[in-house]
Amino acid sequence: MATLTKNEIKITTCETSKINSIDFSNLAFGQVFSDHMLTCDFKDGKWQSPEIVPYGPLTLEPSAKIFHYGQSIFEGMKAYKDANDNVFLFRPMDNIKRLNISAKRLAIPELPEAYFMEGLKALLDLDKDWIPTAEGSSLYIRPFIFASGEGFHASPANAYKFIIATAPSGAYFSGKVKVLIEEKYSRSANGGVGFAKAGGNYAGQFYPTQLAKDKGYQQVIWTDDTSHEYIEEAGAMNVFVRINDTLLTSPVSDRILDGITRKSILELAEAEGIKTEVRKVKVSELVEAAKNGSLKEMFGAGTAAVISPISGFGFRGEDFEIPEQDNSFGLQLKERIVAIQTNKTEDPYGWRMKV
């Protein structure tokens, strides 16, 4: 495996920073981009030396295979500052490991871990001032790889580009969301790429989600691809259900992303004395729990929002509301995760990495 230190990375800085033109008190999610980005090319059978350059447009041939065969993967991460201006990442090694799991599934060359981690550290050192400090805000980090090699032949590309771009962002969601349980369209299938963070997974979600929005919902709950009998994910997030005082979530599979927030919630819940079950959850079980009052909470879990509460769901023309809980497991676990991420509490799990 290739080795690298951040001091070995070539850096070309922008002539003029745009940071003073940014209203950090009014940040939308992922709409404003920092001054620099990390880039690294794969060519001649190996990854070249990464470098940091000013954030800006890319030049690609129309025959670049990303446009034709969709070899594209990404990750989502955040950087945080504490009260002493220290910078932290949350479980970053899980991100590089998952990026390479996705790469392998899409026939993309795996990226050396040192290129990812040392490149990210160097980028954060350079753009440290872009990390916001307001409550609920962070520097969103988007590492991604796509096929830059050229040709119309249906085969893996011979060249790829790895980029890390960053965006100072406010909260991803505000308020609760109402979801529709999807029974026709599927997010992914057995043997497919649902477990990978592939761009095509998300492209395929947009149309059914828009259909749900047209009916007055904000998102969909995906069900399994064969029987549509079991709930699997909430939009682009893992989904949790609280029935009475037990927190349920689906097991990961070919179809379900092994979410880093999901894993953290399960471990924290155990430490907090919250009973958890990782098992298949039937739609019929969810409906019955909503009818008899044992359904206490539903929420999505992912990097961007951490936890996104679900206020109700629709199924076969009927809507079910989920009452607010005074002792919300979702909010309790979100507070614990954010406190670890932002260095406001001890981290007994070794999840927080100081940059």
Side-chain angles (χ1 to χ4, degrees), residues 60-70 146-152 157:
L60 294 171
E61 293 287 341
S63 56
K65 289 199 172 186
I66 177 59
F67 301 133
H68 308 281
Y69 304 113
F146 63 89
S148 56
E150 302 160 18
F152 293 149

Side-chain angles (χ1 to χ4, degrees), residues 63-85:
S63 56
K65 289 199 172 186
I66 177 59
F67 301 133
H68 308 281
Y69 304 113
Q71 281 182 289
S72 172
I73 58 174
F74 70 95
E75 278 295 316
M77 311 169 62
K78 290 179 179 178
Y80 309 83
K81 272 186 181 176
D82 68 6
N84 296 317
D85 211 37

Side-chain angles (χ1 to χ4, degrees), residues 30-99:
Q31 297 294 312
V32 174
F33 304 99
S34 312
D35 282 331
H36 300 93
M37 62 184 183
L38 180 88
T39 70
C40 185
D41 289 310
F42 180 91
K43 61 182 180 180
D44 301 327
K46 64 179 182 179
W47 286 102
Q48 308 298 305
S49 298
E51 60 180 298
I52 292 174
V53 297
Y55 178 89
L58 304 174
T59 300
L60 294 171
E61 293 287 341
S63 56
K65 289 199 172 186
I66 177 59
F67 301 133
H68 308 281
Y69 304 113
Q71 281 182 289
S72 172
I73 58 174
F74 70 95
E75 278 295 316
M77 311 169 62
K78 290 179 179 178
Y80 309 83
K81 272 186 181 176
D82 68 6
N84 296 317
D85 211 37
N86 297 308
V87 177
F88 296 92
L89 296 168
F90 183 71
R91 305 187 70 164
M93 295 307 297
D94 288 297
N95 290 104
I96 176 57
K97 289 175 182 176
R98 191 171 62 184
L99 184 77

Side-chain angles (χ1 to χ4, degrees), residues 313-331:
F313 67 91
F315 179 65
R316 295 183 179 176
E318 190 172 1
D319 284 335
F320 301 89
E321 291 189 9
I322 303 174
E324 289 192 21
Q325 301 294 317
D326 292 333
N327 64 331
S328 165
F329 288 175
L331 295 181

Side-chain angles (χ1 to χ4, degrees), residues 5-7 9 11 38 52 117-127 355:
T5 66
K6 66 181 182 181
N7 294 329
I9 297 173
I11 297 176
L38 180 88
I52 292 174
M117 287 306 307
E118 297 306 316
L120 177 55
K121 290 175 184 177
L123 182 62
L124 292 177
D125 279 351
L126 184 62
D127 280 353
V355 177

Side-chain angles (χ1 to χ4, degrees), residues 24-29 78-83 131-139 168-174 304-306 331 334-345:
F24 277 79
S25 65
N26 187 30
L27 290 170
F29 182 85
K78 290 179 179 178
Y80 309 83
K81 272 186 181 176
D82 68 6
I131 304 174
T133 56
E135 194 73 24
S137 64
S138 61
L139 184 72
S169 298
Y172 188 60
F173 288 123
S174 59
V306 184
L331 295 181
K334 180 176 181 177
E335 288 175 2
R336 288 283 290 116
I337 290 175
V338 172
I340 291 173
Q341 290 172 333
T342 54
N343 197 32
K344 292 179 180 177
T345 189

